């Protein structure tokens, strides 16, 4: 039940909760071969993108998610040069990745080209790096892309996906993580957006189990606030071949040449601090 018809509401059945935005107007709505996409102008959060009724991002708070999905992994890897983003069609993660001067190539594989075209139109600041010569935008299934990738061809793989339903379901499974492992070079890291620690511990546990049985040496979850996602608290899970995820290039973070709004050396450390219930559930 919406507050009134001037609000967009996302109901989260598994959490028994809902989050509403006061809407100024609907800017766009369409059904693509993959999903329904709607864009709203809100009173307080800028523009809002909704896919299949689920909030994807807003102007106001997307920096939290995009920064925490990309920089912790990129500053944990010793020398990341080749990045792959699966999903991420809004291009916010791509923009963060390309802030790293050491990145030589960033491939983005999004299944639905319309997400990117609408983001270019309604979230232009997220797409400001799309013309960077290091970036290549592919439109297709990320699962197949990773299966076909040459062994050792990426340093960091970021899975910026929708929830584990529909075309994204396979992105949360062991065979996909095994293909990622094969596609990663020495010390390579895969990062998966891993839902809410409060509402989705079953999904988080499943990701840890699938990554461990795929053969990664270390799997760790970080967490951060995300007001517009269910429970307001979100996570990303990192898995690394051959070595530990803990430890990062702290001096490089302190001296980084680009601006971030949430990410810094202290939030990097804090994000990996495990609340007791998470440590018990995940065994980390
Ligand atoms: N961060 C957002 C969230 O958690 O709500 C998701 C951002 S991004 C818009 C997610 C993208 O993943 C969508 O655009 C969707 O089309 C894409 N996607 C889903 N399954 C995919 C697959 N198998 N391969 C590539 N992209 C996929």
């Amino acid at each position: 039940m919406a507050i009134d018809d001037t609000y967009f509401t996302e109901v989260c059945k598994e959490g028994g909760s809902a989050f509403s935005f006061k809407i100024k107007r609907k800017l766009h709505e369409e059904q693509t071969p993959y999903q329904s996409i709607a864009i709203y102008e809100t009173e307080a959060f800028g523009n809002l993108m909704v896919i299949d009724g689920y909030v994807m991002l807003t102007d106001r708070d997307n920096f939290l998610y995009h920064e925490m999905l990309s920089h912790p992994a990129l500053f944990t890897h010793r020398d990341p040069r080749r990045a792959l983003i699966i999903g991420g069609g809004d291009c916010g993660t791509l923009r963060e990745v390309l802030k790293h001067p050491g990145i030589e190539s960033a491939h983005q594989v999004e299944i639905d080209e319309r997400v990117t075209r609408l983001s270019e139109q309604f979230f232009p600041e997220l797409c400001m790096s799309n013309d960077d010569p290091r970036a290549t935008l592919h439109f297709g299934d990320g699962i197949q892309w990773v299966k076909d990738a040459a062994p050792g061809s990426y340093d960091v793989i970021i899975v910026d996906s929708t929830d584990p339903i529909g075309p994204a379901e396979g992105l949360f499974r062991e065979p996909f993580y095994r293909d990622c492992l094969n596609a990663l070079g020495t010390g390579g890291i895969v990062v998966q957006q891993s839902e809410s620690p409060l509402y989705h511990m079953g999904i988080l546990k499943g990701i840890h189990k699938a990554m461990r049985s795929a053969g990664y040496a270390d799997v760790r979850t970080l967490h951060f606030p995300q007001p517009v996602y269910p429970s307001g608290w979100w996570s990303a899970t990192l898995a690394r071949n051959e070595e530990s995820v803990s430890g990062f290039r702290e001096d490089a973070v302190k001296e980084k040449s680009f601006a971030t709004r949430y990410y810094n050396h202290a939030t990097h450390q804090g994000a990996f601090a495990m609340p007791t219930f998470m440590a018990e559930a995940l065994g980390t």
Side-chain angles (χ1 to χ4, degrees):
M1 184 181 66
I3 296 169
D4 66 45
D5 61 8
T6 63
Y7 281 79
F8 168 83
T9 297
E10 178 189 328
V11 172
C12 174
K13 283 195 180 134
E14 65 273 27
S17 62
F19 190 89
S20 297
F21 298 88
K22 187 145 179 72
I23 297 301
K24 279 189 182 162
R25 61 192 172 120
K26 187 185 274 181
L27 297 169
H28 185 82
E29 189 169 31
E30 73 179 72
Q31 178 69 45
T32 76
Y34 303 98
Q35 51 212 353
S36 70
I37 310 175
I39 315 278
Y40 298 90
E41 185 184 348
T42 72
E43 281 282 344
F45 280 77
N47 286 355
L48 159 70
M49 181 189 283
V50 176
I51 292 186
D52 287 340
Y54 297 107
V55 170
M56 289 293 119
L57 69 132
T58 73
D59 277 324
R60 187 174 186 182
D61 75 343
N62 78 81
F63 67 97
L64 298 161
Y65 175 91
H66 289 135
E67 290 183 13
M68 294 310 281
L69 208 56
S70 41
H71 301 308
L74 289 162
F75 279 113
T76 297
H77 193 283
R78 240 171 257 110
D79 182 22
R81 295 172 188 217
R82 306 159 301 168
L84 170 64
I85 299 158
I86 301 294
D90 55 71
C91 302
T93 298
L94 179 65
R95 184 183 73 167
E96 295 306 313
V97 168
L98 290 167
K99 286 180 178 175
H100 289 251
I103 288 290
E104 292 168 358
S105 69
H107 297 163
Q108 178 166 283
V109 184
E110 160 63 55
I111 205 164
D112 190 347
E113 181 170 357
R114 290 302 299 154
V115 176
T116 300
R117 299 300 164 226
L118 291 172
S119 191
E120 285 167 349
Q121 191 177 346
F122 295 108
F123 297 89
E125 66 294 346
L126 296 184
C127 297
M128 61 193 245
S129 302
N130 290 7
D131 292 332
D132 187 307
R134 299 171 297 163
T136 323
L137 304 188
H138 301 273
F139 297 103
D141 182 11
I143 298 171
Q144 193 59 43
W145 183 275
V146 173
K147 204 179 287 209
D148 296 341
S153 50
Y154 293 107
D155 299 315
V156 172
I157 300 176
I158 301 175
V159 189
D160 181 1
S161 70
T162 36
D163 299 340
I165 39 173
E169 208 178 330
L171 297 171
F172 290 75
R173 297 230 178 102
E174 184 192 327
F176 172 69
Y177 297 135
R178 205 179 280 281
D179 290 335
C180 288
L181 185 62
N182 185 48
L184 285 169
T186 308
I189 301 169
V190 62
V191 192
Q192 165 73 270
Q193 79 83 5
S194 50
E195 310 281 306
S196 163
L198 196 64
Y199 286 180
H200 305 124
M201 188 49 83
I203 295 174
L204 258 162
K205 278 174 154 177
I207 292 170
H208 273 245
K209 188 163 176 266
M211 285 176 163
R212 285 189 191 284
S213 41
Y216 291 87
D218 194 23
V219 182
R220 272 169 214 254
T221 292
L222 61 80
H223 52 99
F224 53 91
Q226 189 63 57
V228 303
Y229 287 173
S231 85
W233 189 25
W234 218 246
S235 71
T237 297
L238 287 74
R240 195 172 197 187
N241 56 10
E242 294 154 28
E243 45 193 304
S244 167
V245 171
S246 58
F248 66 110
R249 294 182 289 119
E250 192 172 340
D251 289 342
V253 177
K254 289 178 181 161
E255 291 156 17
K256 66 186 167 51
S257 57
F258 55 86
T260 46
R261 292 176 66 198
Y262 185 79
Y263 179 80
N264 58 37
H265 74 281
T267 54
H268 183 124
Q269 277 161 342
F272 280 103
M274 274 294 94
T276 306
F277 84 94
M278 286 179 72
E280 283 169 5
L282 299 173
T284 53

